[in-house]
PDB file of all heavy atoms in Angstrom:
ATOM      1  N   VAL H   1      12.307   3.537   2.798  1.00 97.00           N
ATOM      2  CA  VAL H   1      12.198   3.287   4.233  1.00 97.00           C
ATOM      3  C   VAL H   1      11.937   1.807   4.518  1.00 97.00           C
ATOM      4  O   VAL H   1      12.458   1.254   5.493  1.00 97.00           O
ATOM      5  CB  VAL H   1      11.103   4.183   4.851  1.00 97.00           C
ATOM      6  CG1 VAL H   1      10.755   3.741   6.267  1.00 97.00           C
ATOM      7  CG2 VAL H   1      11.579   5.631   4.871  1.00 97.00           C
ATOM      8  N   VAL H   2      11.134   1.151   3.689  1.00 97.00           N
ATOM      9  CA  VAL H   2      10.932  -0.290   3.867  1.00 97.00           C
ATOM     10  C   VAL H   2      12.257  -1.026   3.710  1.00 97.00           C
ATOM     11  O   VAL H   2      12.587  -1.926   4.500  1.00 97.00           O
ATOM     12  CB  VAL H   2       9.885  -0.825   2.872  1.00 97.00           C
ATOM     13  CG1 VAL H   2       9.839  -2.350   2.911  1.00 97.00           C
ATOM     14  CG2 VAL H   2       8.514  -0.260   3.198  1.00 97.00           C
ATOM     15  N   LEU H   3      13.049  -0.663   2.708  1.00 97.00           N
ATOM     16  CA  LEU H   3      14.372  -1.273   2.538  1.00 97.00           C
ATOM     17  C   LEU H   3      15.252  -1.014   3.756  1.00 97.00           C
ATOM     18  O   LEU H   3      15.970  -1.911   4.221  1.00 97.00           O
ATOM     19  CB  LEU H   3      15.052  -0.720   1.287  1.00 97.00           C
ATOM     20  CG  LEU H   3      14.495  -1.126  -0.077  1.00 97.00           C
ATOM     21  CD1 LEU H   3      15.252  -0.416  -1.191  1.00 97.00           C
ATOM     22  CD2 LEU H   3      14.579  -2.642  -0.273  1.00 97.00           C
ATOM     23  N   ALA H   4      15.200   0.207   4.274  1.00 97.00           N
ATOM     24  CA  ALA H   4      16.021   0.557   5.432  1.00 97.00           C
ATOM     25  C   ALA H   4      15.621  -0.232   6.667  1.00 97.00           C
ATOM     26  O   ALA H   4      16.477  -0.663   7.454  1.00 97.00           O
ATOM     27  CB  ALA H   4      15.921   2.055   5.708  1.00 97.00           C
ATOM     28  N   SER H   5      14.324  -0.427   6.861  1.00 97.00           N
ATOM     29  CA  SER H   5      13.845  -1.129   8.051  1.00 97.00           C
ATOM     30  C   SER H   5      14.166  -2.619   8.023  1.00 97.00           C
ATOM     31  O   SER H   5      14.135  -3.285   9.059  1.00 97.00           O
ATOM     32  CB  SER H   5      12.331  -0.925   8.214  1.00 97.00           C
ATOM     33  OG  SER H   5      11.618  -1.581   7.182  1.00 97.00           O
ATOM     34  N   LYS H   6      14.481  -3.140   6.851  1.00 95.00           N
ATOM     35  CA  LYS H   6      14.832  -4.553   6.707  1.00 95.00           C
ATOM     36  C   LYS H   6      16.182  -4.697   6.017  1.00 95.00           C
ATOM     37  O   LYS H   6      16.418  -5.640   5.249  1.00 95.00           O
ATOM     38  CB  LYS H   6      13.749  -5.292   5.911  1.00 95.00           C
ATOM     39  CG  LYS H   6      12.368  -5.282   6.560  1.00 95.00           C
ATOM     40  CD  LYS H   6      11.350  -6.023   5.706  1.00 95.00           C
ATOM     41  CE  LYS H   6       9.958  -5.960   6.302  1.00 95.00           C
ATOM     42  NZ  LYS H   6       9.858  -6.673   7.590  1.00 95.00           N
ATOM     43  N   ALA H   7      17.091  -3.763   6.300  1.00 95.00           N
ATOM     44  CA  ALA H   7      18.366  -3.714   5.585  1.00 95.00           C
ATOM     45  C   ALA H   7      19.232  -4.940   5.826  1.00 95.00           C
ATOM     46  O   ALA H   7      20.105  -5.260   5.014  1.00 95.00           O
ATOM     47  CB  ALA H   7      19.132  -2.444   5.968  1.00 95.00           C
ATOM     48  N   ARG H   8      19.031  -5.621   6.935  1.00 93.00           N
ATOM     49  CA  ARG H   8      19.846  -6.796   7.221  1.00 93.00           C
ATOM     50  C   ARG H   8      19.524  -7.960   6.291  1.00 93.00           C
ATOM     51  O   ARG H   8      20.335  -8.871   6.127  1.00 93.00           O
ATOM     52  CB  ARG H   8      19.639  -7.231   8.672  1.00 93.00           C
ATOM     53  CG  ARG H   8      20.188  -6.241   9.705  1.00 93.00           C
ATOM     54  CD  ARG H   8      19.925  -6.730  11.111  1.00 93.00           C
ATOM     55  NE  ARG H   8      20.542  -5.866  12.108  1.00 93.00           N
ATOM     56  CZ  ARG H   8      20.457  -6.057  13.426  1.00 93.00           C
ATOM     57  NH1 ARG H   8      19.764  -7.086  13.890  1.00 93.00           N
ATOM     58  NH2 ARG H   8      21.047  -5.223  14.270  1.00 93.00           N
ATOM     59  N   ARG H   9      18.319  -7.939   5.712  1.00 93.00           N
ATOM     60  CA  ARG H   9      17.885  -9.033   4.838  1.00 93.00           C
ATOM     61  C   ARG H   9      17.253  -8.417   3.592  1.00 93.00           C
ATOM     62  O   ARG H   9      16.048  -8.175   3.545  1.00 93.00           O
ATOM     63  CB  ARG H   9      16.913  -9.947   5.570  1.00 93.00           C
ATOM     64  CG  ARG H   9      17.519 -10.650   6.788  1.00 93.00           C
ATOM     65  CD  ARG H   9      16.524 -11.615   7.432  1.00 93.00           C
ATOM     66  NE  ARG H   9      15.367 -10.919   7.984  1.00 93.00           N
ATOM     67  CZ  ARG H   9      14.293 -11.545   8.451  1.00 93.00           C
ATOM     68  NH1 ARG H   9      14.211 -12.862   8.400  1.00 93.00           N
ATOM     69  NH2 ARG H   9      13.284 -10.855   8.963  1.00 93.00           N
ATOM     70  N   PHE H  10      18.082  -8.191   2.595  1.00 96.00           N
ATOM     71  CA  PHE H  10      17.651  -7.474   1.401  1.00 96.00           C
ATOM     72  C   PHE H  10      16.535  -8.211   0.666  1.00 96.00           C
ATOM     73  O   PHE H  10      15.535  -7.609   0.258  1.00 96.00           O
ATOM     74  CB  PHE H  10      18.855  -7.266   0.473  1.00 96.00           C
ATOM     75  CG  PHE H  10      18.546  -6.499  -0.784  1.00 96.00           C
ATOM     76  CD1 PHE H  10      18.063  -5.198  -0.724  1.00 96.00           C
ATOM     77  CD2 PHE H  10      18.737  -7.069  -2.035  1.00 96.00           C
ATOM     78  CE1 PHE H  10      17.780  -4.478  -1.874  1.00 96.00           C
ATOM     79  CE2 PHE H  10      18.470  -6.359  -3.193  1.00 96.00           C
ATOM     80  CZ  PHE H  10      17.977  -5.071  -3.112  1.00 96.00           C
ATOM     81  N   ARG H  11      16.677  -9.516   0.500  1.00 95.00           N
ATOM     82  CA  ARG H  11      15.642 -10.277  -0.221  1.00 95.00           C
ATOM     83  C   ARG H  11      14.308 -10.224   0.510  1.00 95.00           C
ATOM     84  O   ARG H  11      13.245 -10.150  -0.116  1.00 95.00           O
ATOM     85  CB  ARG H  11      16.079 -11.727  -0.408  1.00 95.00           C
ATOM     86  CG  ARG H  11      17.106 -11.930  -1.502  1.00 95.00           C
ATOM     87  CD  ARG H  11      17.190 -13.385  -1.912  1.00 95.00           C
ATOM     88  NE  ARG H  11      18.151 -13.584  -2.995  1.00 95.00           N
ATOM     89  CZ  ARG H  11      18.283 -14.725  -3.660  1.00 95.00           C
ATOM     90  NH1 ARG H  11      17.517 -15.756  -3.351  1.00 95.00           N
ATOM     91  NH2 ARG H  11      19.176 -14.833  -4.626  1.00 95.00           N
ATOM     92  N   VAL H  12      14.361 -10.268   1.831  1.00 95.00           N
ATOM     93  CA  VAL H  12      13.124 -10.204   2.615  1.00 95.00           C
ATOM     94  C   VAL H  12      12.461  -8.841   2.431  1.00 95.00           C
ATOM     95  O   VAL H  12      11.234  -8.741   2.291  1.00 95.00           O
ATOM     96  CB  VAL H  12      13.419 -10.467   4.108  1.00 95.00           C
ATOM     97  CG1 VAL H  12      12.178 -10.210   4.964  1.00 95.00           C
ATOM     98  CG2 VAL H  12      13.909 -11.899   4.304  1.00 95.00           C
ATOM     99  N   ALA H  13      13.271  -7.779   2.436  1.00 96.00           N
ATOM    100  CA  ALA H  13      12.732  -6.431   2.249  1.00 96.00           C
ATOM    101  C   ALA H  13      12.056  -6.296   0.893  1.00 96.00           C
ATOM    102  O   ALA H  13      10.943  -5.757   0.775  1.00 96.00           O
ATOM    103  CB  ALA H  13      13.852  -5.407   2.393  1.00 96.00           C
ATOM    104  N   VAL H  14      12.722  -6.780  -0.155  1.00 97.00           N
ATOM    105  CA  VAL H  14      12.162  -6.678  -1.505  1.00 97.00           C
ATOM    106  C   VAL H  14      10.913  -7.544  -1.631  1.00 97.00           C
ATOM    107  O   VAL H  14       9.933  -7.145  -2.270  1.00 97.00           O
ATOM    108  CB  VAL H  14      13.219  -7.068  -2.551  1.00 97.00           C
ATOM    109  CG1 VAL H  14      12.595  -7.098  -3.949  1.00 97.00           C
ATOM    110  CG2 VAL H  14      14.389  -6.079  -2.518  1.00 97.00           C
ATOM    111  N   ALA H  15      10.929  -8.725  -1.012  1.00 96.00           N
ATOM    112  CA  ALA H  15       9.746  -9.594  -1.051  1.00 96.00           C
ATOM    113  C   ALA H  15       8.554  -8.918  -0.377  1.00 96.00           C
ATOM    114  O   ALA H  15       7.408  -9.055  -0.831  1.00 96.00           O
ATOM    115  CB  ALA H  15      10.050 -10.923  -0.368  1.00 96.00           C
ATOM    116  N   GLU H  16       8.813  -8.168   0.702  1.00 96.00           N
ATOM    117  CA  GLU H  16       7.742  -7.437   1.374  1.00 96.00           C
ATOM    118  C   GLU H  16       7.173  -6.347   0.468  1.00 96.00           C
ATOM    119  O   GLU H  16       5.955  -6.178   0.367  1.00 96.00           O
ATOM    120  CB  GLU H  16       8.261  -6.830   2.676  1.00 96.00           C
ATOM    121  CG  GLU H  16       7.269  -5.977   3.435  1.00 96.00           C
ATOM    122  CD  GLU H  16       6.110  -6.782   4.035  1.00 96.00           C
ATOM    123  OE1 GLU H  16       6.178  -8.029   4.003  1.00 96.00           O
ATOM    124  OE2 GLU H  16       5.149  -6.162   4.510  1.00 96.00           O
ATOM    125  N   LEU H  17       8.057  -5.604  -0.195  1.00 97.00           N
ATOM    126  CA  LEU H  17       7.597  -4.589  -1.142  1.00 97.00           C
ATOM    127  C   LEU H  17       6.801  -5.221  -2.279  1.00 97.00           C
ATOM    128  O   LEU H  17       5.751  -4.709  -2.679  1.00 97.00           O
ATOM    129  CB  LEU H  17       8.798  -3.827  -1.713  1.00 97.00           C
ATOM    130  CG  LEU H  17       9.474  -2.810  -0.797  1.00 97.00           C
ATOM    131  CD1 LEU H  17      10.769  -2.295  -1.423  1.00 97.00           C
ATOM    132  CD2 LEU H  17       8.532  -1.640  -0.507  1.00 97.00           C
ATOM    133  N   ASP H  18       7.295  -6.332  -2.780  1.00 97.00           N
ATOM    134  CA  ASP H  18       6.609  -7.037  -3.873  1.00 97.00           C
ATOM    135  C   ASP H  18       5.218  -7.481  -3.432  1.00 97.00           C
ATOM    136  O   ASP H  18       4.234  -7.342  -4.182  1.00 97.00           O
ATOM    137  CB  ASP H  18       7.465  -8.238  -4.297  1.00 97.00           C
ATOM    138  CG  ASP H  18       6.911  -8.929  -5.538  1.00 97.00           C
ATOM    139  OD1 ASP H  18       6.185  -8.282  -6.322  1.00 97.00           O
ATOM    140  OD2 ASP H  18       7.203 -10.126  -5.718  1.00 97.00           O
ATOM    141  N   ARG H  19       5.110  -7.990  -2.223  1.00 96.00           N
ATOM    142  CA  ARG H  19       3.815  -8.463  -1.716  1.00 96.00           C
ATOM    143  C   ARG H  19       2.811  -7.319  -1.633  1.00 96.00           C
ATOM    144  O   ARG H  19       1.653  -7.455  -2.081  1.00 96.00           O
ATOM    145  CB  ARG H  19       4.001  -9.097  -0.336  1.00 96.00           C
ATOM    146  CG  ARG H  19       2.696  -9.605   0.287  1.00 96.00           C
ATOM    147  CD  ARG H  19       2.903 -10.073   1.716  1.00 96.00           C
ATOM    148  NE  ARG H  19       3.239  -8.979   2.602  1.00 96.00           N
ATOM    149  CZ  ARG H  19       2.341  -8.140   3.139  1.00 96.00           C
ATOM    150  NH1 ARG H  19       1.055  -8.261   2.845  1.00 96.00           N
ATOM    151  NH2 ARG H  19       2.736  -7.173   3.963  1.00 96.00           N
ATOM    152  N   VAL H  20       3.229  -6.192  -1.076  1.00 96.00           N
ATOM    153  CA  VAL H  20       2.310  -5.066  -0.904  1.00 96.00           C
ATOM    154  C   VAL H  20       1.920  -4.461  -2.250  1.00 96.00           C
ATOM    155  O   VAL H  20       0.733  -4.270  -2.541  1.00 96.00           O
ATOM    156  CB  VAL H  20       2.932  -3.996   0.013  1.00 96.00           C
ATOM    157  CG1 VAL H  20       2.054  -2.753   0.057  1.00 96.00           C
ATOM    158  CG2 VAL H  20       3.113  -4.549   1.428  1.00 96.00           C
ATOM    159  N   TRP H  21       2.921  -4.173  -3.091  1.00 97.00           N
ATOM    160  CA  TRP H  21       2.625  -3.528  -4.367  1.00 97.00           C
ATOM    161  C   TRP H  21       1.859  -4.451  -5.309  1.00 97.00           C
ATOM    162  O   TRP H  21       1.067  -3.975  -6.138  1.00 97.00           O
ATOM    163  CB  TRP H  21       3.923  -3.067  -5.034  1.00 97.00           C
ATOM    164  CG  TRP H  21       4.462  -1.784  -4.490  1.00 97.00           C
ATOM    165  CD1 TRP H  21       5.350  -1.626  -3.474  1.00 97.00           C
ATOM    166  CD2 TRP H  21       4.145  -0.459  -4.941  1.00 97.00           C
ATOM    167  NE1 TRP H  21       5.613  -0.297  -3.256  1.00 97.00           N
ATOM    168  CE2 TRP H  21       4.887   0.446  -4.143  1.00 97.00           C
ATOM    169  CE3 TRP H  21       3.311   0.049  -5.932  1.00 97.00           C
ATOM    170  CZ2 TRP H  21       4.817   1.831  -4.313  1.00 97.00           C
ATOM    171  CZ3 TRP H  21       3.236   1.430  -6.110  1.00 97.00           C
ATOM    172  CH2 TRP H  21       3.991   2.304  -5.303  1.00 97.00           C
ATOM    173  N   SER H  22       2.059  -5.761  -5.198  1.00 97.00           N
ATOM    174  CA  SER H  22       1.372  -6.700  -6.083  1.00 97.00           C
ATOM    175  C   SER H  22      -0.094  -6.885  -5.709  1.00 97.00           C
ATOM    176  O   SER H  22      -0.857  -7.483  -6.479  1.00 97.00           O
ATOM    177  CB  SER H  22       2.062  -8.073  -6.056  1.00 97.00           C
ATOM    178  OG  SER H  22       3.341  -8.004  -6.631  1.00 97.00           O
ATOM    179  N   ASN H  23      -0.479  -6.408  -4.560  1.00 96.00           N
ATOM    180  CA  ASN H  23      -1.856  -6.589  -4.098  1.00 96.00           C
ATOM    181  C   ASN H  23      -2.555  -5.269  -3.811  1.00 96.00           C
ATOM    182  O   ASN H  23      -3.566  -5.229  -3.106  1.00 96.00           O
ATOM    183  CB  ASN H  23      -1.867  -7.471  -2.848  1.00 96.00           C
ATOM    184  CG  ASN H  23      -1.428  -8.894  -3.134  1.00 96.00           C
ATOM    185  OD1 ASN H  23      -2.178  -9.686  -3.694  1.00 96.00           O
ATOM    186  ND2 ASN H  23      -0.188  -9.218  -2.788  1.00 96.00           N
ATOM    187  N   PHE H  24      -2.024  -4.188  -4.367  1.00 93.00           N
ATOM    188  CA  PHE H  24      -2.610  -2.875  -4.134  1.00 93.00           C
ATOM    189  C   PHE H  24      -4.010  -2.769  -4.723  1.00 93.00           C
ATOM    190  O   PHE H  24      -4.317  -3.322  -5.781  1.00 93.00           O
ATOM    191  CB  PHE H  24      -1.741  -1.782  -4.756  1.00 93.00           C
ATOM    192  CG  PHE H  24      -0.971  -0.978  -3.754  1.00 93.00           C
ATOM    193  CD1 PHE H  24       0.357  -0.664  -3.977  1.00 93.00           C
ATOM    194  CD2 PHE H  24      -1.561  -0.519  -2.582  1.00 93.00           C
ATOM    195  CE1 PHE H  24       1.090   0.082  -3.060  1.00 93.00           C
ATOM    196  CE2 PHE H  24      -0.842   0.228  -1.663  1.00 93.00           C
ATOM    197  CZ  PHE H  24       0.478   0.524  -1.900  1.00 93.00           C
ATOM    198  N   GLU H  25      -4.837  -2.037  -4.021  1.00 92.00           N
ATOM    199  CA  GLU H  25      -6.112  -1.546  -4.524  1.00 92.00           C
ATOM    200  C   GLU H  25      -6.199  -0.082  -4.124  1.00 92.00           C
ATOM    201  O   GLU H  25      -5.607   0.338  -3.131  1.00 92.00           O
ATOM    202  CB  GLU H  25      -7.282  -2.345  -3.939  1.00 92.00           C
ATOM    203  CG  GLU H  25      -7.285  -3.801  -4.366  1.00 92.00           C
ATOM    204  CD  GLU H  25      -8.420  -4.587  -3.731  1.00 92.00           C
ATOM    205  OE1 GLU H  25      -9.249  -3.968  -3.022  1.00 92.00           O
ATOM    206  OE2 GLU H  25      -8.475  -5.803  -3.946  1.00 92.00           O
ATOM    207  N   CYS H  26      -6.936   0.691  -4.902  1.00 91.00           N
ATOM    208  CA  CYS H  26      -7.001   2.126  -4.632  1.00 91.00           C
ATOM    209  C   CYS H  26      -7.455   2.427  -3.208  1.00 91.00           C
ATOM    210  O   CYS H  26      -6.973   3.385  -2.586  1.00 91.00           O
ATOM    211  CB  CYS H  26      -7.925   2.815  -5.639  1.00 91.00           C
ATOM    212  SG  CYS H  26      -7.173   3.079  -7.264  1.00 91.00           S
ATOM    213  N   ASP H  27      -8.363   1.603  -2.684  1.00 91.00           N
ATOM    214  CA  ASP H  27      -8.853   1.902  -1.337  1.00 91.00           C
ATOM    215  C   ASP H  27      -7.858   1.540  -0.245  1.00 91.00           C
ATOM    216  O   ASP H  27      -8.120   1.755   0.928  1.00 91.00           O
ATOM    217  CB  ASP H  27     -10.211   1.248  -1.076  1.00 91.00           C
ATOM    218  CG  ASP H  27     -10.191  -0.263  -1.238  1.00 91.00           C
ATOM    219  OD1 ASP H  27      -9.098  -0.848  -1.355  1.00 91.00           O
ATOM    220  OD2 ASP H  27     -11.282  -0.865  -1.240  1.00 91.00           O
ATOM    221  N   HIS H  28      -6.688   0.997  -0.616  1.00 93.00           N
ATOM    222  CA  HIS H  28      -5.585   0.858   0.323  1.00 93.00           C
ATOM    223  C   HIS H  28      -4.832   2.170   0.484  1.00 93.00           C
ATOM    224  O   HIS H  28      -4.054   2.342   1.425  1.00 93.00           O
ATOM    225  CB  HIS H  28      -4.585  -0.202  -0.151  1.00 93.00           C
ATOM    226  CG  HIS H  28      -5.153  -1.584  -0.199  1.00 93.00           C
ATOM    227  ND1 HIS H  28      -4.532  -2.625  -0.878  1.00 93.00           N
ATOM    228  CD2 HIS H  28      -6.290  -2.108   0.332  1.00 93.00           C
ATOM    229  CE1 HIS H  28      -5.260  -3.722  -0.750  1.00 93.00           C
ATOM    230  NE2 HIS H  28      -6.332  -3.428  -0.026  1.00 93.00           N
ATOM    231  N   VAL H  29      -5.024   3.087  -0.473  1.00 92.00           N
ATOM    232  CA  VAL H  29      -4.270   4.339  -0.509  1.00 92.00           C
ATOM    233  C   VAL H  29      -5.151   5.530  -0.147  1.00 92.00           C
ATOM    234  O   VAL H  29      -4.738   6.410   0.623  1.00 92.00           O
ATOM    235  CB  VAL H  29      -3.648   4.560  -1.908  1.00 92.00           C
ATOM    236  CG1 VAL H  29      -2.838   5.847  -1.958  1.00 92.00           C
ATOM    237  CG2 VAL H  29      -2.772   3.359  -2.277  1.00 92.00           C
ATOM    238  N   PHE H  30      -6.355   5.585  -0.687  1.00 87.00           N
ATOM    239  CA  PHE H  30      -7.274   6.689  -0.362  1.00 87.00           C
ATOM    240  C   PHE H  30      -8.706   6.164  -0.394  1.00 87.00           C
ATOM    241  O   PHE H  30      -8.994   5.127  -1.002  1.00 87.00           O
ATOM    242  CB  PHE H  30      -7.099   7.862  -1.334  1.00 87.00           C
ATOM    243  CG  PHE H  30      -7.019   7.480  -2.783  1.00 87.00           C
ATOM    244  CD1 PHE H  30      -8.156   7.259  -3.541  1.00 87.00           C
ATOM    245  CD2 PHE H  30      -5.782   7.341  -3.402  1.00 87.00           C
ATOM    246  CE1 PHE H  30      -8.078   6.906  -4.873  1.00 87.00           C
ATOM    247  CE2 PHE H  30      -5.690   6.975  -4.747  1.00 87.00           C
ATOM    248  CZ  PHE H  30      -6.842   6.756  -5.477  1.00 87.00           C
ATOM    249  N   ARG H  31      -9.583   6.880   0.294  1.00 82.00           N
ATOM    250  CA  ARG H  31     -10.981   6.447   0.363  1.00 82.00           C
ATOM    251  C   ARG H  31     -11.633   6.617  -1.008  1.00 82.00           C
ATOM    252  O   ARG H  31     -11.553   7.677  -1.620  1.00 82.00           O
ATOM    253  CB  ARG H  31     -11.737   7.273   1.406  1.00 82.00           C
ATOM    254  CG  ARG H  31     -11.176   7.121   2.813  1.00 82.00           C
ATOM    255  CD  ARG H  31     -12.096   7.770   3.836  1.00 82.00           C
ATOM    256  NE  ARG H  31     -11.486   7.825   5.149  1.00 82.00           N
ATOM    257  CZ  ARG H  31     -11.430   6.818   6.007  1.00 82.00           C
ATOM    258  NH1 ARG H  31     -11.957   5.652   5.669  1.00 82.00           N
ATOM    259  NH2 ARG H  31     -10.851   6.958   7.191  1.00 82.00           N
ATOM    260  N   THR H  32     -12.290   5.541  -1.461  1.00 78.00           N
ATOM    261  CA  THR H  32     -12.857   5.560  -2.812  1.00 78.00           C
ATOM    262  C   THR H  32     -14.358   5.269  -2.820  1.00 78.00           C
ATOM    263  O   THR H  32     -14.945   5.157  -3.904  1.00 78.00           O
ATOM    264  CB  THR H  32     -12.163   4.498  -3.695  1.00 78.00           C
ATOM    265  OG1 THR H  32     -12.363   3.194  -3.113  1.00 78.00           O
ATOM    266  CG2 THR H  32     -10.679   4.771  -3.822  1.00 78.00           C
ATOM    267  N   ASP H  33     -14.983   5.149  -1.646  1.00 74.00           N
ATOM    268  CA  ASP H  33     -16.409   4.866  -1.636  1.00 74.00           C
ATOM    269  C   ASP H  33     -17.187   6.052  -2.218  1.00 74.00           C
ATOM    270  O   ASP H  33     -16.731   7.209  -2.173  1.00 74.00           O
ATOM    271  CB  ASP H  33     -16.886   4.569  -0.213  1.00 74.00           C
ATOM    272  CG  ASP H  33     -16.641   5.721   0.743  1.00 74.00           C
ATOM    273  OD1 ASP H  33     -15.490   5.838   1.221  1.00 74.00           O
ATOM    274  OD2 ASP H  33     -17.574   6.499   0.983  1.00 74.00           O
ATOM    275  N   ASN H  34     -18.335   5.789  -2.768  1.00 69.00           N
ATOM    276  CA  ASN H  34     -19.115   6.801  -3.465  1.00 69.00           C
ATOM    277  C   ASN H  34     -19.450   7.993  -2.577  1.00 69.00           C
ATOM    278  O   ASN H  34     -19.400   9.151  -3.013  1.00 69.00           O
ATOM    279  CB  ASN H  34     -20.404   6.188  -4.021  1.00 69.00           C
ATOM    280  CG  ASN H  34     -20.139   5.180  -5.123  1.00 69.00           C
ATOM    281  OD1 ASN H  34     -19.051   5.146  -5.695  1.00 69.00           O
ATOM    282  ND2 ASN H  34     -21.129   4.351  -5.417  1.00 69.00           N
ATOM    283  N   TRP H  35     -19.801   7.728  -1.318  1.00 68.00           N
ATOM    284  CA  TRP H  35     -20.200   8.814  -0.425  1.00 68.00           C
ATOM    285  C   TRP H  35     -19.030   9.753  -0.133  1.00 68.00           C
ATOM    286  O   TRP H  35     -19.175  10.974  -0.178  1.00 68.00           O
ATOM    287  CB  TRP H  35     -20.775   8.248   0.863  1.00 68.00           C
ATOM    288  CG  TRP H  35     -21.135   9.282   1.896  1.00 68.00           C
ATOM    289  CD1 TRP H  35     -20.666   9.385   3.175  1.00 68.00           C
ATOM    290  CD2 TRP H  35     -22.057  10.381   1.728  1.00 68.00           C
ATOM    291  NE1 TRP H  35     -21.215  10.464   3.814  1.00 68.00           N
ATOM    292  CE2 TRP H  35     -22.073  11.101   2.955  1.00 68.00           C
ATOM    293  CE3 TRP H  35     -22.842  10.826   0.672  1.00 68.00           C
ATOM    294  CZ2 TRP H  35     -22.866  12.235   3.138  1.00 68.00           C
ATOM    295  CZ3 TRP H  35     -23.627  11.952   0.866  1.00 68.00           C
ATOM    296  CH2 TRP H  35     -23.630  12.648   2.081  1.00 68.00           C
ATOM    297  N   THR H  36     -17.860   9.179   0.144  1.00 70.00           N
ATOM    298  CA  THR H  36     -16.691  10.013   0.411  1.00 70.00           C
ATOM    299  C   THR H  36     -16.313  10.842  -0.805  1.00 70.00           C
ATOM    300  O   THR H  36     -16.012  12.034  -0.693  1.00 70.00           O
ATOM    301  CB  THR H  36     -15.490   9.137   0.841  1.00 70.00           C
ATOM    302  OG1 THR H  36     -15.806   8.467   2.065  1.00 70.00           O
ATOM    303  CG2 THR H  36     -14.238   9.990   1.049  1.00 70.00           C
ATOM    304  N   MET H  37     -16.313  10.222  -1.988  1.00 67.00           N
ATOM    305  CA  MET H  37     -15.969  10.951  -3.202  1.00 67.00           C
ATOM    306  C   MET H  37     -16.989  12.051  -3.478  1.00 67.00           C
ATOM    307  O   MET H  37     -16.629  13.158  -3.907  1.00 67.00           O
ATOM    308  CB  MET H  37     -15.890   9.988  -4.389  1.00 67.00           C
ATOM    309  CG  MET H  37     -14.812   8.916  -4.261  1.00 67.00           C
ATOM    310  SD  MET H  37     -13.132   9.582  -4.243  1.00 67.00           S
ATOM    311  CE  MET H  37     -12.953  10.059  -5.943  1.00 67.00           C
ATOM    312  N   PHE H  38     -18.272  11.772  -3.228  1.00 68.00           N
ATOM    313  CA  PHE H  38     -19.311  12.780  -3.439  1.00 68.00           C
ATOM    314  C   PHE H  38     -19.130  13.950  -2.468  1.00 68.00           C
ATOM    315  O   PHE H  38     -19.208  15.118  -2.874  1.00 68.00           O
ATOM    316  CB  PHE H  38     -20.693  12.153  -3.254  1.00 68.00           C
ATOM    317  CG  PHE H  38     -21.822  13.145  -3.327  1.00 68.00           C
ATOM    318  CD1 PHE H  38     -22.238  13.661  -4.537  1.00 68.00           C
ATOM    319  CD2 PHE H  38     -22.465  13.573  -2.161  1.00 68.00           C
ATOM    320  CE1 PHE H  38     -23.269  14.579  -4.602  1.00 68.00           C
ATOM    321  CE2 PHE H  38     -23.505  14.490  -2.219  1.00 68.00           C
ATOM    322  CZ  PHE H  38     -23.913  14.994  -3.438  1.00 68.00           C
ATOM    323  N   LYS H  39     -18.871  13.655  -1.195  1.00 70.00           N
ATOM    324  CA  LYS H  39     -18.656  14.718  -0.210  1.00 70.00           C
ATOM    325  C   LYS H  39     -17.466  15.588  -0.583  1.00 70.00           C
ATOM    326  O   LYS H  39     -17.527  16.816  -0.468  1.00 70.00           O
ATOM    327  CB  LYS H  39     -18.441  14.111   1.181  1.00 70.00           C
ATOM    328  CG  LYS H  39     -19.688  13.604   1.855  1.00 70.00           C
ATOM    329  CD  LYS H  39     -19.458  13.358   3.340  1.00 70.00           C
ATOM    330  CE  LYS H  39     -18.330  12.393   3.588  1.00 70.00           C
ATOM    331  NZ  LYS H  39     -18.112  12.173   5.034  1.00 70.00           N
ATOM    332  N   SER H  40     -16.382  14.940  -1.012  1.00 67.00           N
ATOM    333  CA  SER H  40     -15.190  15.698  -1.380  1.00 67.00           C
ATOM    334  C   SER H  40     -15.474  16.619  -2.565  1.00 67.00           C
ATOM    335  O   SER H  40     -15.098  17.802  -2.562  1.00 67.00           O
ATOM    336  CB  SER H  40     -14.045  14.740  -1.721  1.00 67.00           C
ATOM    337  OG  SER H  40     -12.913  15.439  -2.162  1.00 67.00           O
ATOM    338  N   SER H  41     -16.162  16.088  -3.579  1.00 66.00           N
ATOM    339  CA  SER H  41     -16.480  16.894  -4.761  1.00 66.00           C
ATOM    340  C   SER H  41     -17.367  18.081  -4.404  1.00 66.00           C
ATOM    341  O   SER H  41     -17.136  19.214  -4.855  1.00 66.00           O
ATOM    342  CB  SER H  41     -17.154  16.021  -5.813  1.00 66.00           C
ATOM    343  OG  SER H  41     -16.333  14.958  -6.212  1.00 66.00           O
TER     344      SER H  41
END
């Protein structure tokens, strides 16, 4: 979908994906704080 949303500029789309994936942390995807994990468990 990111590629599709920037289909007119392929390099720009890939650079955006590279930027996001290269700077990922788990708390960008799901809550990882101790309290949330404890409540879930």
Side-chain angles (χ1 to χ4, degrees):
V1 168
V2 171
L3 290 177
S5 68
K6 299 179 183 294
R8 292 179 175 180
R9 297 183 295 172
F10 182 61
R11 283 197 178 190
V12 172
V14 174
E16 177 69 9
L17 285 171
D18 187 24
R19 179 187 67 81
V20 173
W21 280 91
S22 293
N23 293 284
F24 254 136
E25 295 178 4
C26 282
D27 58 11
H28 295 165
V29 181
F30 46 83
R31 299 189 189 280
T32 60
D33 60 279
N34 293 343
W35 176 238
T36 297
M37 298 295 287
F38 175 76
K39 284 195 303 180
S40 176
S41 300

